[in-house]
Amino acid sequence: MCGIFAYLNFNVSRERRYILEVLFNGLRRLEYRGYDSAGISIDSSIYSGSDLNRQIFTPPLVFRQEGNIESLVKSVYQDVDATDLNLEESFSIHAGIAHTRWATHGEPAPRNSHPQTSDAGNEFLVVHNGVVTNYEVLKETLVRHGFTFESETDTEVIPKLAKFVFDKANEEGDQSVTFSQVVIEVMRHLEGAYALIFKSRHYPNELIACKRGSPLLLGVKVSCMCF
Ligand code: GLU
């Protein structure tokens, strides 16, 4: 049984180092369930142009490792060093996702670890607990529409389906399609038992979690200032 975990800080400033540690600790707490690989996704830097209302969001960063959580932690910090990623950068809103995988489709390997992605630009990312029983037919359809697959997982159809739904809505002129509308449409096509968390470059600072059959717990911490 795998574990999915997400952390969204909203209107409370958190440094990238803190966000990473929350995600790693979330995964450590799920370790008892058993797993063979692990992964996370966090935001890369957000560039604000001269117009502060028009921030440019670069693709989210994805880290995936076969083996235990500490191997993931080690490889993330190695990549951080190699790429000079700023651990002190602060985010007043940030959506991070994490996963421990127990392989059902595809051997334990970085390419089969989650988050699974829609494309090279990480437009949609998904962590998944469970099995999509109709993934073969969905995969055939997506391949016919030009998608290429990198993993042997059943999960990879999910972010690709989200991109397909999003692109189709936009092609049809519906540029106001919401993240939850995209996910609801994706769910209509999935069979099996699952809990999912979606992250998207098109909907920065938002996460969508959904489930059918599998357990999912949502926690909200509210700090209030009293005068
Ligand atoms: N079926 C998915 C996979 O093999 C998810 C397995 C899990 O729940 O960890 O990647």
Side-chain angles (χ1 to χ4, degrees):
M1 273 199 301
C2 80
I4 63 177
F5 182 79
Y7 171 62
L8 195 150
N9 54 297
F10 181 79
N11 277 351
V12 47
S13 189
R14 294 287 184 242
E15 291 187 352
R16 182 178 276 120
R17 183 191 304 279
Y18 180 96
I19 292 164
L20 280 174
E21 285 306 316
V22 170
L23 294 174
F24 293 144
N25 284 333
L27 292 183
R28 289 183 184 114
R29 290 206 185 178
L30 292 168
E31 216 164 6
Y32 74 96
R33 291 162 64 89
Y35 65 102
D36 52 52
S37 17
I40 60 165
S41 174
I42 57 168
D43 287 338
S44 47
S45 299
I46 299 169
Y47 299 103
S48 319
S50 48
D51 177 353
L52 285 177
N53 294 322
R54 297 205 51 199
Q55 293 179 320
I56 302 160
F57 289 87
T58 50
L61 303 171
V62 174
F63 302 91
R64 303 185 293 201
Q65 256 317 310
E66 186 186 335
N68 63 21
I69 290 163
E70 298 321 311
S71 333
L72 173 71
V73 174
K74 199 168 152 208
S75 76
V76 169
Y77 283 118
Q78 275 168 355
D79 280 9
V80 164
D81 279 348
T83 56
D84 276 338
L85 190 65
N86 182 3
L87 291 177
E88 274 72 54
E89 183 173 357
S90 240
F91 297 81
S92 62
I93 310 177
H94 181 279
I97 58 175
H99 187 260
T100 50
R101 174 173 190 245
W102 188 311
T104 63
H105 295 70
E107 62 180 6
R111 72 178 181 288
N112 288 331
S113 305
H114 303 202
Q116 285 287 309
T117 185
S118 56
D119 65 313
N122 293 333
E123 288 181 43
F124 288 88
L125 291 160
V126 168
V127 288
H128 170 210
N129 168 24
V131 172
V132 179
T133 50
N134 63 336
Y135 80 100
E136 281 163 324
V137 63
L138 293 174
K139 191 168 175 173
E140 275 168 27
T141 310
L142 288 162
V143 167
R144 274 205 302 279
H145 281 91
F147 284 86
T148 50
F149 282 72
E150 287 170 13
S151 79
E152 292 87 59
T153 65
D154 51 332
T155 305
E156 195 177 356
V157 296
I158 307 172
K160 288 183 163 55
L161 194 51
K163 177 167 164 50
F164 177 75
V165 169
F166 176 84
D167 288 348
K168 191 157 176 282
N170 278 273
E171 276 159 30
E172 288 168 1
D174 182 5
Q175 269 136 19
S176 62
V177 64
T178 64
F179 201 179
S180 50
Q181 283 169 333
V182 171
V183 172
I184 286 167
E185 183 57 21
V186 169
M187 283 182 80
R188 279 194 340 102
H189 296 277
L190 300 181
E191 289 170 14
Y194 54 80
L196 305 169
I197 306 173
F198 290 75
K199 173 174 171 67
S200 172
R201 190 177 166 183
H202 296 291
Y203 302 97
N205 307 330
E206 284 183 53
L207 292 174
I208 302 286
C210 62
K211 72 180 211 90
R212 182 175 288 151
S214 302
L216 188 65
L217 187 70
L218 177 67
V220 180
K221 182 181 173 193
V222 180
S223 309
C224 48
M225 292 179 67
C226 305
F227 294 97

